[in-house]
Amino acid sequence: MRIVKDYCSKAISYVFPEGEESKNLETVKALYVKLIEEKFDRHDFIIALGGGVTGDLTGYSAATYLRGIDFIQVPTSLLADVDSSIGGKTGVDFDSYKNMIGAFHMPKLVYINIDTMDTLDLRQFNSGMGEVIKSALIKNASFFNWLEENIDAIKSKDKEFILKMIYECNIIKKNVVENDPTEKGERALLNLGHTLGHAIEKYMNFEMMHGECVLVGTILAAIISKNKGYISEEENNRIISLIKKLDFPSLPKDLDYDKIIMYTKNDKKVIGNKIKFICLSKIGEAFITTDITDEDMKKALEEYMVTGR
Ligand code: GLY
């Protein structure tokens, strides 16, 4: 705030409770009230200082207040650094439908300071790793190899490695978003691990973090890709063994597969009644398919529960 005040005639703050429970239209409404009371106009801008929820919610408020004002992303979580702060996807959840209300609204600037990594607990850090591994898997095999080789240094939050890792993810995201800003095609690849990941997030009542569910969803997408013959057994094993080097919660033993599969149908990634699923054709290359059946997902969930966690 002190630094912002040095550059702006006036700076005010609006703080809301952390977590997915705040990512809704009520919080947006309270922010609109604050902006109106403080007489924000189109020359003003909002800074999103926080993790993915803060960035998405602030971005959506900026996109809709006075038909759109500027905003700046200052991510403080690994997940926001590597994924959600970049590319202009903004939004909130609606009832239990994740990111159902939103807008594409590019931030004017994304400022990442890796010292914020020191503020993250292990769960938050590993949650961000879900999006890191996803990024490598869809676009960059040598980055995936590098992650395999350096996972211990990354887990110890060695700054040199963290910097390279975030930078590589940012380049992947930048290239994908520049080619397809409004997700008419290629951008959907960034949803690897998210179809089943979002369904599990909802099934677990949002008690698991988003990136933790992406880690599980990415394993499931790898298992499906292997079972369909798109990737080899060896590639599948490499993906699972890298992800298993991270700590994340186990799924309950009595997992209701049908309920999870039902939740995938409520996802935004559905065309007609067909799920737009992201599979891997190899490590570093992904594709969109509508050929994944409920049976494929069920089989992968069963396999996950036997071999997974
Ligand atoms: N987080 C996925 C995307 O920005 O498209």
Side-chain angles (χ1 to χ4, degrees), residues 14-44:
Y14 168 75
V15 180
F16 60 88
E18 68 167 330
E20 197 72 27
E21 309 81 58
S22 290
K23 195 176 168 181
N24 55 48
L25 291 171
E26 291 305 304
T27 315
V28 172
K29 185 178 171 195
L31 177 52
Y32 289 151
V33 169
K34 184 92 177 168
L35 295 174
I36 292 165
E37 282 173 358
E38 297 287 348
K39 302 195 172 22
F40 267 59
D41 66 26
R42 287 212 182 89
H43 299 100
D44 298 317

Side-chain angles (χ1 to χ4, degrees), residues 4-158:
V4 173
K5 275 186 174 147
D6 291 346
Y7 290 91
C8 301
S9 57
K10 183 177 169 187
I12 54 139
S13 66
Y14 168 75
V15 180
F16 60 88
E18 68 167 330
E20 197 72 27
E21 309 81 58
S22 290
K23 195 176 168 181
N24 55 48
L25 291 171
E26 291 305 304
T27 315
V28 172
K29 185 178 171 195
L31 177 52
Y32 289 151
V33 169
K34 184 92 177 168
L35 295 174
I36 292 165
E37 282 173 358
E38 297 287 348
K39 302 195 172 22
F40 267 59
D41 66 26
R42 287 212 182 89
H43 299 100
D44 298 317
F45 63 92
I46 319 179
I47 300 175
L49 175 69
V53 170
T54 307
D56 283 12
L57 186 141
T58 307
Y60 180 67
S61 306
T64 47
Y65 182 73
L66 295 177
R67 300 195 176 91
I69 63 171
D70 290 343
F71 84 114
I72 292 172
Q73 290 271 22
V74 184
T76 57
S77 72
L78 178 60
L79 187 134
D81 286 350
V82 299
D83 189 59
S84 62
S85 68
I86 295 171
K89 265 193 186 176
T90 73
V92 292
D93 303 336
F94 188 78
D95 292 340
S96 55
Y97 297 101
K98 203 172 153 61
N99 298 333
M100 208 32 112
I101 310 293
F104 288 102
H105 188 58
M106 288 292 169
K108 282 284 167 202
L109 171 79
V110 181
Y111 169 70
I112 298 170
N113 185 328
I114 62 165
D115 284 344
T116 58
M117 290 302 102
D118 299 336
T119 68
L120 301 181
D121 67 25
L122 189 64
R123 272 193 81 181
Q124 285 167 325
F125 184 79
N126 286 340
S127 172
M129 288 302 292
E131 302 288 2
V132 170
I133 293 172
K134 169 207 83 177
S135 305
L137 281 172
I138 62 169
K139 283 285 171 195
N140 191 335
S142 54
F143 178 39
F144 185 86
N145 299 343
W146 181 87
L147 290 172
E148 285 182 312
E149 280 159 24
N150 297 295
I151 191 67
D152 291 332
I154 292 163
K155 280 169 71 177
S156 72
K157 294 190 190 165
D158 182 310

Side-chain angles (χ1 to χ4, degrees), residues 83 86 89 134 173 183 187 190-191:
D83 189 59
I86 295 171
K89 265 193 186 176
K134 169 207 83 177
K173 181 99 192 224
E183 199 168 309
R187 184 165 184 168
L190 294 166
N191 295 328

Side-chain angles (χ1 to χ4, degrees), residues 123 126-127 208 211-213 215-217 219 240 242-251 304 309:
R123 272 193 81 181
N126 286 340
S127 172
M208 272 172 77
E212 292 174 334
C213 297
L215 288 167
V216 177
I219 294 184
I240 296 179
L242 177 62
I243 294 179
K244 281 195 180 166
K245 295 215 168 97
L246 303 163
D247 286 324
F248 55 98
S250 304
L251 297 179
Y304 180 92
R309 29 199 314 147

